[in-house]
Amino acid sequence: MTKPWIEGRFEENMILTTVEQAMNWARQSSIWPMTFGLACCAIEMMAAGASRYDLDRFGAGAFRASPRQADLMIVAGTVTYKMASRVRRLYNMMPDPKFVIAMGACTTGGGPYFKWGYHVVKGVDLVVPVDVYVPGCPPRPESLLEGLMRIQDKIQGQKIAKRTGGFGKVDDELPVPHHSGYVTVPDDSMLVFDHQKVNP
Amino acid sequence: MTSTSSPINDVLESLLGRFGPLTTSTFRGQTRVVVQPDALFEVLSFLKDSGFDLLVDVTSVDYLEYRGAPHRYGMVYLLASTETGQRLTLRVFLDDPNPCVPSVVSLWEGANWLEREVWDLFGIRFEGHPDLRRLVMPEEFTAHPLRKDYPMQGRGERHNFPIITRDHS
């Protein structure tokens, strides 16, 4: 994960950053999904894009009607075998860097059609590489927002320069989420809320 | 709506007068006529000329291992009249070696995809169809999955397929 080694080191009114951080920030703040819904999960995706949940808060509200302009493919719904080749073609048409969210039970592993379905792909990762799986049948819009934030974390971990040798796998590694719900509390400070008590 | 006061009886009488004794039945005000596969196209063309100008649906039922069923497949043609609102159901029963009925695309253009779907899922051939390809299943699929003897396991489970990662995508 990119360490903010230079950001915020000086006082206010002074902005310092690196090209890498600036690019990642720009990318993760404008993930444009593709207008692409296959089944009932698309209804929840529309709800996440509408005003109550407001996907546009994260810069991802511009649903593009063309895969050429999209960064993110939210596979929302049951992928049938006939649709699988179309999904793959749409994925190939998207420009790099591109990301895929597998939304719902059907796209993560076949869902209710897992065992007996003759027509459903048993998970969309048999068709396209999936970055984030969002479970649920269908997932709540909050779950989709969480998946989008995981995509943002993944973008934040990307590096411009590929390091050869030495450090091993550092490139495009999925970083530790910065909002996983885990709260670290320093021992010597006052607790702000009750739920932050780790060792009462 | 009782069957005696239903105005569909006029059409039925002329149909029976033209094509001889056909099995008809009425259930909850809906009339069903069973015809032979040879006479199907003429009956449908006669019904279209006598007012049933809308083909609502073409579908099929597989009666394999159904109790008391003498035939395996039952084709269903749902007709309606846009002027009077009458509805009529036509049944044709088929059997297994080469189940085949004449296509009605020449009467209703909308029958094109309906018949393609029946061919796709039940494997019933439509003679004279201009483009009898699969509709809902992928092109390389070889079976007809709504037949009752299609295996329930489908195409296998998830561990039979390789998972695509970004490295080899």
PDB file of all heavy atoms in Angstrom, chain B residues 147-162:
ATOM      1  N   ARG B 147     -37.008 -30.692 -21.789  1.00  0.00           N
ATOM      2  CA  ARG B 147     -37.536 -32.052 -21.857  1.00  0.00           C
ATOM      3  C   ARG B 147     -37.349 -32.720 -20.507  1.00  0.00           C
ATOM      4  O   ARG B 147     -36.374 -32.477 -19.808  1.00  0.00           O
ATOM      5  CB  ARG B 147     -36.797 -32.847 -22.925  1.00  0.00           C
ATOM      6  CG  ARG B 147     -37.156 -32.428 -24.328  1.00  0.00           C
ATOM      7  CD  ARG B 147     -36.518 -33.363 -25.310  1.00  0.00           C
ATOM      8  NE  ARG B 147     -36.980 -33.098 -26.672  1.00  0.00           N
ATOM      9  CZ  ARG B 147     -36.624 -33.822 -27.714  1.00  0.00           C
ATOM     10  NH1 ARG B 147     -35.806 -34.840 -27.543  1.00  0.00           N
ATOM     11  NH2 ARG B 147     -37.080 -33.541 -28.904  1.00  0.00           N
ATOM     12  N   LYS B 148     -38.334 -33.563 -20.186  1.00  0.00           N
ATOM     13  CA  LYS B 148     -38.302 -34.143 -18.839  1.00  0.00           C
ATOM     14  C   LYS B 148     -37.181 -35.142 -18.668  1.00  0.00           C
ATOM     15  O   LYS B 148     -36.818 -35.466 -17.545  1.00  0.00           O
ATOM     16  CB  LYS B 148     -39.642 -34.831 -18.552  1.00  0.00           C
ATOM     17  CG  LYS B 148     -40.794 -33.883 -18.424  1.00  0.00           C
ATOM     18  CD  LYS B 148     -40.652 -32.976 -17.237  1.00  0.00           C
ATOM     19  CE  LYS B 148     -41.862 -32.085 -17.110  1.00  0.00           C
ATOM     20  NZ  LYS B 148     -41.643 -31.010 -16.156  1.00  0.00           N
ATOM     21  N   ASP B 149     -36.630 -35.653 -19.756  1.00  0.00           N
ATOM     22  CA  ASP B 149     -35.535 -36.604 -19.611  1.00  0.00           C
ATOM     23  C   ASP B 149     -34.178 -35.922 -19.657  1.00  0.00           C
ATOM     24  O   ASP B 149     -33.160 -36.606 -19.698  1.00  0.00           O
ATOM     25  CB  ASP B 149     -35.628 -37.689 -20.685  1.00  0.00           C
ATOM     26  CG  ASP B 149     -35.753 -37.097 -22.080  1.00  0.00           C
ATOM     27  OD1 ASP B 149     -35.787 -35.861 -22.180  1.00  0.00           O
ATOM     28  OD2 ASP B 149     -35.831 -37.877 -23.045  1.00  0.00           O
ATOM     29  N   TYR B 150     -34.149 -34.594 -19.615  1.00  0.00           N
ATOM     30  CA  TYR B 150     -32.870 -33.896 -19.527  1.00  0.00           C
ATOM     31  C   TYR B 150     -32.307 -34.077 -18.119  1.00  0.00           C
ATOM     32  O   TYR B 150     -33.049 -33.940 -17.142  1.00  0.00           O
ATOM     33  CB  TYR B 150     -33.060 -32.414 -19.842  1.00  0.00           C
ATOM     34  CG  TYR B 150     -31.779 -31.641 -19.904  1.00  0.00           C
ATOM     35  CD1 TYR B 150     -30.990 -31.694 -21.040  1.00  0.00           C
ATOM     36  CD2 TYR B 150     -31.347 -30.883 -18.830  1.00  0.00           C
ATOM     37  CE1 TYR B 150     -29.803 -31.002 -21.093  1.00  0.00           C
ATOM     38  CE2 TYR B 150     -30.158 -30.193 -18.876  1.00  0.00           C
ATOM     39  CZ  TYR B 150     -29.397 -30.255 -20.026  1.00  0.00           C
ATOM     40  OH  TYR B 150     -28.210 -29.573 -20.070  1.00  0.00           O
ATOM     41  N   PRO B 151     -31.037 -34.400 -17.969  1.00  0.00           N
ATOM     42  CA  PRO B 151     -30.514 -34.655 -16.615  1.00  0.00           C
ATOM     43  C   PRO B 151     -30.529 -33.398 -15.764  1.00  0.00           C
ATOM     44  O   PRO B 151     -30.243 -32.302 -16.235  1.00  0.00           O
ATOM     45  CB  PRO B 151     -29.088 -35.138 -16.879  1.00  0.00           C
ATOM     46  CG  PRO B 151     -28.754 -34.633 -18.233  1.00  0.00           C
ATOM     47  CD  PRO B 151     -30.028 -34.631 -19.002  1.00  0.00           C
ATOM     48  N   MET B 152     -30.879 -33.585 -14.498  1.00  0.00           N
ATOM     49  CA  MET B 152     -31.032 -32.439 -13.612  1.00  0.00           C
ATOM     50  C   MET B 152     -29.706 -31.822 -13.222  1.00  0.00           C
ATOM     51  O   MET B 152     -29.663 -30.697 -12.746  1.00  0.00           O
ATOM     52  CB  MET B 152     -31.766 -32.836 -12.335  1.00  0.00           C
ATOM     53  CG  MET B 152     -33.259 -32.818 -12.473  1.00  0.00           C
ATOM     54  SD  MET B 152     -34.022 -33.198 -10.917  1.00  0.00           S
ATOM     55  CE  MET B 152     -33.625 -31.761  -9.970  1.00  0.00           C
ATOM     56  N   GLN B 153     -28.617 -32.534 -13.442  1.00  0.00           N
ATOM     57  CA  GLN B 153     -27.328 -32.008 -13.001  1.00  0.00           C
ATOM     58  C   GLN B 153     -26.879 -30.835 -13.850  1.00  0.00           C
ATOM     59  O   GLN B 153     -25.992 -30.107 -13.461  1.00  0.00           O
ATOM     60  CB  GLN B 153     -26.254 -33.087 -13.054  1.00  0.00           C
ATOM     61  CG  GLN B 153     -26.272 -33.993 -11.863  1.00  0.00           C
ATOM     62  CD  GLN B 153     -27.336 -35.037 -11.977  1.00  0.00           C
ATOM     63  OE1 GLN B 153     -27.961 -35.163 -13.021  1.00  0.00           O
ATOM     64  NE2 GLN B 153     -27.580 -35.783 -10.923  1.00  0.00           N
ATOM     65  N   GLY B 154     -27.463 -30.654 -15.004  1.00  0.00           N
ATOM     66  CA  GLY B 154     -27.077 -29.528 -15.825  1.00  0.00           C
ATOM     67  C   GLY B 154     -25.661 -29.677 -16.339  1.00  0.00           C
ATOM     68  O   GLY B 154     -25.240 -30.764 -16.732  1.00  0.00           O
ATOM     69  N   ARG B 155     -24.904 -28.611 -16.293  1.00  0.00           N
ATOM     70  CA  ARG B 155     -23.562 -28.631 -16.857  1.00  0.00           C
ATOM     71  C   ARG B 155     -22.498 -28.744 -15.790  1.00  0.00           C
ATOM     72  O   ARG B 155     -21.357 -28.387 -16.014  1.00  0.00           O
ATOM     73  CB  ARG B 155     -23.335 -27.379 -17.699  1.00  0.00           C
ATOM     74  CG  ARG B 155     -24.224 -27.361 -18.892  1.00  0.00           C
ATOM     75  CD  ARG B 155     -23.974 -26.198 -19.766  1.00  0.00           C
ATOM     76  NE  ARG B 155     -22.618 -26.172 -20.281  1.00  0.00           N
ATOM     77  CZ  ARG B 155     -22.210 -25.336 -21.206  1.00  0.00           C
ATOM     78  NH1 ARG B 155     -23.050 -24.484 -21.722  1.00  0.00           N
ATOM     79  NH2 ARG B 155     -20.977 -25.336 -21.638  1.00  0.00           N
ATOM     80  N   GLY B 156     -22.846 -29.230 -14.623  1.00  0.00           N
ATOM     81  CA  GLY B 156     -21.821 -29.433 -13.630  1.00  0.00           C
ATOM     82  C   GLY B 156     -21.659 -28.244 -12.727  1.00  0.00           C
ATOM     83  O   GLY B 156     -22.265 -27.203 -12.928  1.00  0.00           O
ATOM     84  N   GLU B 157     -20.831 -28.451 -11.752  1.00  0.00           N
ATOM     85  CA  GLU B 157     -20.691 -27.447 -10.721  1.00  0.00           C
ATOM     86  C   GLU B 157     -19.431 -26.646 -10.941  1.00  0.00           C
ATOM     87  O   GLU B 157     -18.705 -26.822 -11.901  1.00  0.00           O
ATOM     88  CB  GLU B 157     -20.701 -28.118  -9.348  1.00  0.00           C
ATOM     89  CG  GLU B 157     -22.039 -28.790  -9.099  1.00  0.00           C
ATOM     90  CD  GLU B 157     -22.021 -29.655  -7.876  1.00  0.00           C
ATOM     91  OE1 GLU B 157     -21.073 -29.536  -7.094  1.00  0.00           O
ATOM     92  OE2 GLU B 157     -22.948 -30.447  -7.717  1.00  0.00           O
ATOM     93  N   ARG B 158     -19.173 -25.792  -9.986  1.00  0.00           N
ATOM     94  CA  ARG B 158     -18.154 -24.772 -10.146  1.00  0.00           C
ATOM     95  C   ARG B 158     -16.750 -25.343 -10.257  1.00  0.00           C
ATOM     96  O   ARG B 158     -15.914 -24.811 -10.974  1.00  0.00           O
ATOM     97  CB  ARG B 158     -18.257 -23.840  -8.949  1.00  0.00           C
ATOM     98  CG  ARG B 158     -17.418 -22.626  -9.019  1.00  0.00           C
ATOM     99  CD  ARG B 158     -17.683 -21.802  -7.782  1.00  0.00           C
ATOM    100  NE  ARG B 158     -16.555 -20.952  -7.540  1.00  0.00           N
ATOM    101  CZ  ARG B 158     -16.342 -19.827  -8.192  1.00  0.00           C
ATOM    102  NH1 ARG B 158     -17.185 -19.429  -9.090  1.00  0.00           N
ATOM    103  NH2 ARG B 158     -15.287 -19.101  -7.943  1.00  0.00           N
ATOM    104  N   HIS B 159     -16.499 -26.464  -9.579  1.00  0.00           N
ATOM    105  CA  HIS B 159     -15.138 -26.986  -9.582  1.00  0.00           C
ATOM    106  C   HIS B 159     -14.785 -27.640 -10.913  1.00  0.00           C
ATOM    107  O   HIS B 159     -13.656 -28.086 -11.094  1.00  0.00           O
ATOM    108  CB  HIS B 159     -14.960 -27.977  -8.434  1.00  0.00           C
ATOM    109  CG  HIS B 159     -16.000 -29.045  -8.404  1.00  0.00           C
ATOM    110  ND1 HIS B 159     -16.005 -30.100  -9.273  1.00  0.00           N
ATOM    111  CD2 HIS B 159     -17.098 -29.187  -7.635  1.00  0.00           C
ATOM    112  CE1 HIS B 159     -17.040 -30.869  -9.021  1.00  0.00           C
ATOM    113  NE2 HIS B 159     -17.732 -30.336  -8.036  1.00  0.00           N
ATOM    114  N   ASN B 160     -15.713 -27.694 -11.840  1.00  0.00           N
ATOM    115  CA  ASN B 160     -15.384 -28.245 -13.145  1.00  0.00           C
ATOM    116  C   ASN B 160     -14.787 -27.212 -14.083  1.00  0.00           C
ATOM    117  O   ASN B 160     -14.411 -27.556 -15.197  1.00  0.00           O
ATOM    118  CB  ASN B 160     -16.644 -28.815 -13.796  1.00  0.00           C
ATOM    119  CG  ASN B 160     -17.169 -30.004 -13.040  1.00  0.00           C
ATOM    120  OD1 ASN B 160     -16.410 -30.736 -12.441  1.00  0.00           O
ATOM    121  ND2 ASN B 160     -18.471 -30.179 -13.062  1.00  0.00           N
ATOM    122  N   PHE B 161     -14.754 -25.957 -13.665  1.00  0.00           N
ATOM    123  CA  PHE B 161     -14.329 -24.906 -14.575  1.00  0.00           C
ATOM    124  C   PHE B 161     -13.098 -24.208 -14.006  1.00  0.00           C
ATOM    125  O   PHE B 161     -12.959 -24.091 -12.795  1.00  0.00           O
ATOM    126  CB  PHE B 161     -15.443 -23.864 -14.739  1.00  0.00           C
ATOM    127  CG  PHE B 161     -16.728 -24.429 -15.246  1.00  0.00           C
ATOM    128  CD1 PHE B 161     -17.725 -24.803 -14.363  1.00  0.00           C
ATOM    129  CD2 PHE B 161     -16.923 -24.597 -16.601  1.00  0.00           C
ATOM    130  CE1 PHE B 161     -18.904 -25.333 -14.826  1.00  0.00           C
ATOM    131  CE2 PHE B 161     -18.109 -25.118 -17.066  1.00  0.00           C
ATOM    132  CZ  PHE B 161     -19.096 -25.495 -16.186  1.00  0.00           C
ATOM    133  N   PRO B 162     -12.195 -23.727 -14.858  1.00  0.00           N
ATOM    134  CA  PRO B 162     -11.079 -22.912 -14.364  1.00  0.00           C
ATOM    135  C   PRO B 162     -11.546 -21.494 -14.074  1.00  0.00           C
ATOM    136  O   PRO B 162     -12.441 -20.969 -14.739  1.00  0.00           O
ATOM    137  CB  PRO B 162     -10.084 -22.941 -15.527  1.00  0.00           C
ATOM    138  CG  PRO B 162     -10.940 -23.121 -16.727  1.00  0.00           C
ATOM    139  CD  PRO B 162     -12.109 -23.962 -16.302  1.00  0.00           C
TER     140      PRO B 162
END
